[in-house]
Amino acid sequence: SFPDFDYREYFGVSPREIDRLAELNEGLLAVQRSYVYDRLYEKWVGPLPPLELGWPDVRPYAIPLIVTGAIVLVAFAWQRRMLLRVARQAEALRASEERLSLVFEGSQDGFWDWDARTGEILRSPRWFEMLGYSAAEVAPGRPGFLDLVHPDDRERVLADESELWRKRDQFALEMRLRAKNGEWKWILDRGKVVARDPRTRLPLRIVGTHTDITPRKHAEVEAENLQRKMQETQRLESLGVLAGGIAHDFNN
């Protein structure tokens, strides 16, 4: 170490030797990029001063970094917006399903959803409770339903069903279904075609409800019986008046 003494080394190349100068510059650049120069310098000369980055060093990368950052921010904002929208839609769907469930519970109706392509029918718990069955005791397909229909109503059910395959989209039909205890319950079956094949116009999905109208049917039967008894009573009264008149005529 010599105080107040500094030195620099230079490579001198003749101006005519352009190829050698280019080869030398490429070699120095390769050594510098591979950090071999740094290791050699620190080994033989001393520690390298810390590298200070300036605007000329950063400028080539500034625009790509700004553009990349802007894209990331826009993507993040868009993703957050989509997540919020999906969350709102999920919450709205959950609330709608909850309201629908409350409506069905309040109405005491059974709900069914028929996939006409596969023949599978999904039924709500109330549908089974109405007849006293468990979900495992009724086949999920169409045959499981037809097995429960009263023999006298089956032809009418099939005829009404065939109308859906032609043109009609809605139906309402009263029929009797066999409960687990052997009783025949009157059911109001209402449904609607919610999806059709664009080409063939055949139903793809049909949904509907079952309503237990057995008490109403019993009331109608009782009303008919009462009406019949009233008519018989009136007829007997008329016969009695007629008989009294005939007896009166004979008496005279």
Side-chain angles (χ1 to χ4, degrees), residues 39-232:
R39 292 197 299 269
L40 293 175
Y41 189 94
E42 292 179 350
K43 179 178 180 181
W44 299 106
V45 179
L48 282 170
L51 182 62
E52 296 181 359
L53 293 177
W55 173 246
D57 300 320
V58 179
R59 183 171 54 187
Y61 310 99
I63 295 179
L65 287 175
I66 293 173
V67 173
T68 303
I71 293 175
V72 170
L73 290 176
V74 171
F76 179 78
W78 179 83
Q79 183 183 26
R80 182 174 178 80
R81 182 180 179 184
M82 290 297 104
L83 290 176
L84 291 175
R85 179 181 297 180
V86 171
R88 287 194 297 267
Q89 292 177 350
E91 179 62 23
L93 179 61
R94 185 199 62 78
S96 177
E97 291 178 348
E98 183 178 358
R99 286 194 298 268
L100 182 62
S101 177
L102 292 175
V103 168
F104 281 123
E105 290 178 4
S107 64
Q108 294 297 305
D109 288 344
F111 176 76
W112 54 267
D113 188 342
W114 180 13
D115 188 341
R117 292 169 296 186
T118 63
E120 184 179 6
I121 302 178
L122 300 178
R123 303 179 176 98
S124 67
R126 175 59 185 161
W127 193 98
F128 297 100
E129 294 173 2
M130 198 178 301
L131 301 175
Y133 295 102
S134 65
E137 292 174 323
V138 181
R142 187 66 172 166
F145 163 73
L146 292 177
D147 289 343
L148 302 177
V149 178
H150 193 284
D152 295 341
D153 299 337
R154 190 170 301 171
E155 183 176 353
R156 183 162 50 88
V157 170
L158 293 176
D160 191 80
E161 178 185 307
S162 64
E163 292 292 325
L164 297 178
W165 261 254
R166 297 178 183 175
K167 53 183 179 180
R168 195 170 53 166
D169 287 337
Q170 297 182 356
F171 69 92
L173 179 67
E174 295 181 357
M175 59 186 171
R176 287 164 289 182
L177 295 181
R178 185 179 66 253
K180 187 174 181 179
N181 59 7
E183 175 187 358
W184 291 102
K185 287 195 173 185
W186 278 97
I187 301 296
L188 173 59
D189 185 14
R190 289 174 292 189
K192 176 181 177 61
V193 178
V194 296
R196 288 185 179 271
D197 190 303
R199 295 180 295 102
T200 64
R201 302 303 301 166
L202 293 177
L204 298 178
R205 184 185 178 194
I206 309 172
V207 298
T209 59
H210 275 186
T211 305
D212 187 357
I213 58 173
T214 304
R216 191 192 78 186
K217 282 292 185 179
H218 288 170
E220 291 176 356
V221 172
E222 292 178 0
E224 290 177 358
N225 292 336
L226 181 60
Q227 181 69 20
R228 189 180 303 109
K229 289 180 180 179
M230 292 178 60
Q231 292 175 354
E232 291 177 356

Side-chain angles (χ1 to χ4, degrees), residues 230-245:
M230 292 178 60
Q231 292 175 354
E232 291 177 356
T233 302
Q234 291 175 356
R235 188 163 50 250
L236 291 175
E237 289 178 354
S238 300
L239 289 175
V241 172
L242 178 62

Side-chain angles (χ1 to χ4, degrees), residues 241-252:
V241 172
L242 178 62
I246 294 174
H248 180 71
D249 289 344
F250 273 113
N251 214 8
N252 291 336

